[in-house]
């Protein structure tokens, strides 16, 4: 995947502010710094999104996240952290090499927010049960 910008960072073809690296995983500062310390964690091998990740790939990526999250929290005295992963354009993915965002949080009014709409009124226990069965049939 020659054109992939995260492969280029991983291969040291272009600079990245790398804060952690092992055989399988790389973590580097997100250029946008949505909040102070905003970091990306990627598998070194090119995998486009969650739908192509194996359990092993995911284990490599997520096993390092507690250590990184704790270091970022300590470094910047963050009060919390959002851990976000976007898959496919409709979900906001713009770089098509799997990555997890670590976004330290400093206040309810800082430069990141999460907006969940509560649609609970549209569902009943029976309709949720149907949804559950449909999903299970695809596992
Ligand atoms: P997403 O929209 O979830 O695909 O996130 C892609 C992220 O990659 C954005 O937050 C960008 O700021 C970040 N990004 C793009 N190019 C670079 C780069 N060269 N170095 C660091 N971060 C980058
Ligand atoms: Zn890549």
């Amino acid at each position: 995947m020659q054109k992939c910008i995260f492969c280029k960072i991983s291969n040291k073809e272009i600079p990245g502010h790398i804060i952690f690296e092992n055989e399988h995983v790389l973590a580097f500062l997100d250029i946008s710094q949505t909040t102070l310390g905003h970091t990306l964690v990627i598998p070194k091998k090119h995998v486009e999104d969650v739908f192509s990740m194996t359990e092993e790939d995911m284990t490599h990526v997520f096993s390092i996240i507690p250590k990184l999250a704790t270091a970022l929290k300590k470094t910047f005295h963050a009060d919390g952290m959002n851990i976000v992963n976007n898959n496919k354009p409709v979900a906001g993915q713009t770089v098509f090499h799997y990555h997890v965002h670590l976004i330290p949080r400093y206040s309810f009014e800082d430069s990141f927010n999460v907006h969940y709409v509560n649609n609970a009124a549209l569902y009943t226990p029976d309709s949720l049960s149907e949804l559950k069965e449909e999903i299970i049939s695809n596992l």
Side-chain angles (χ1 to χ4, degrees):
M1 246 291 172
Q2 282 311 309
K3 286 187 198 138
C4 173
I5 195 145
F6 289 175
C7 282
K8 286 183 178 170
I9 292 174
S10 177
N11 295 330
K12 317 287 160 56
E13 291 166 31
I14 61 169
H17 293 95
I18 295 170
I19 62 173
F20 177 87
E21 178 168 16
N22 67 19
E23 190 186 346
H24 301 287
V25 172
L26 192 75
F28 54 96
L29 293 180
D30 190 299
I31 204 161
S32 70
Q33 288 298 287
T34 295
T35 63
L36 180 66
H38 181 183
T39 293
L40 299 174
V41 188
I42 66 168
K44 281 188 172 175
K45 79 169 183 189
H46 184 86
V47 181
E48 195 166 298
D49 56 37
V50 69
F51 306 108
S52 301
M53 289 285 279
T54 65
E55 288 183 19
E56 195 187 13
D57 296 335
M58 210 52 117
T59 299
H60 290 314
V61 169
F62 272 85
S63 64
I64 196 59
I65 284 181
K67 181 188 173 104
L68 294 171
T70 303
L72 290 169
K73 185 174 183 294
K74 181 177 171 193
T75 305
F76 300 112
H77 308 288
D79 292 319
M81 182 170 294
N82 288 99
I83 296 181
V84 179
N85 160 236
N86 304 320
N87 300 279
K88 304 290 185 194
V90 72
Q93 185 175 12
T94 58
V95 176
F96 298 93
H97 180 132
Y98 182 86
H99 53 280
V100 177
H101 296 258
L102 305 187
I103 305 173
R105 297 299 304 276
Y106 301 95
S107 81
F108 291 105
E109 284 80 38
D110 64 17
S111 42
F112 183 79
N113 65 67
V114 181
H115 178 61
Y116 290 105
V117 173
N118 185 343
N119 286 321
L122 302 178
Y123 295 88
T124 63
D126 280 350
S127 66
L128 287 174
S129 224
E130 272 177 40
L131 293 184
K132 179 195 74 176
E133 293 304 334
E134 261 186 73
I135 296 164
I136 289 172
S137 75
N138 281 304
L139 281 177

